[in-house]
Amino acid sequence: IDSRLTGRPFEHDLLAFPFTPMVVVVGNHSAGKSTFINDLLGLKMQETGVAPTDDGFTVLQRHAKRDEIEDGPTLLSCPENRPFKELQRFGQPFWGHFRRKKLLLP
């Protein structure tokens, strides 16, 4: 992979490549982000409402066995979560607003 990309970004750490595709949905409060995600998945995963319902960053990820929620400090301190390691630099104020929902999806 490294030889096909400009600048050889993985020359030093090929394992840092996040093999799972990630999509970021951003927008103003009450813009329809959670409604969009729920409609896309065909399930009610995110709370929706007229007033802001969430003040954080949520990673939604498929899980093979069951639904599970991890808080930011747990997610960022686990060595298995390499794609999120760089987010540690934002410190504890960010960690408190970050979480992952592992979802049992078809």
Side-chain angles (χ1 to χ4, degrees):
I1 292 174
D2 196 48
S3 62
R4 290 183 273 161
L5 297 172
T6 305
R8 302 182 62 82
F10 305 110
E11 182 175 18
H12 301 289
D13 193 2
L14 182 60
L15 297 177
F17 183 77
F19 292 98
T20 302
M22 291 189 202
V23 176
V24 178
V25 179
V26 296
N28 292 330
H29 68 83
S30 298
K33 298 177 297 294
S34 294
T35 302
F36 170 74
I37 291 168
N38 291 343
D39 287 349
L40 184 66
L41 295 175
L43 302 165
K44 187 174 178 359
M45 293 294 137
Q46 296 290 95
E47 290 183 40
T48 60
V50 177
T53 56
D54 195 350
D55 68 343
F57 303 91
T58 305
V59 174
L60 300 176
Q61 188 174 27
R62 174 180 277 161
H63 194 267
K65 298 179 183 174
R66 64 186 177 281
D67 290 351
E68 194 176 300
I69 297 177
E70 295 175 315
D71 62 10
T74 302
L75 178 58
L76 295 173
S77 64
C78 182
E80 295 174 6
N81 299 319
R82 293 182 66 127
F84 307 111
K85 182 180 177 186
E86 291 298 320
L87 297 175
Q88 290 178 342
R89 69 173 128 174
F90 294 109
Q92 291 180 343
F94 172 76
W95 302 350
H97 295 277
F98 187 59
R99 66 182 173 174
R100 171 168 61 184
K101 290 182 181 179
K102 290 182 176 180
L103 309 169
L104 181 61
L105 296 172

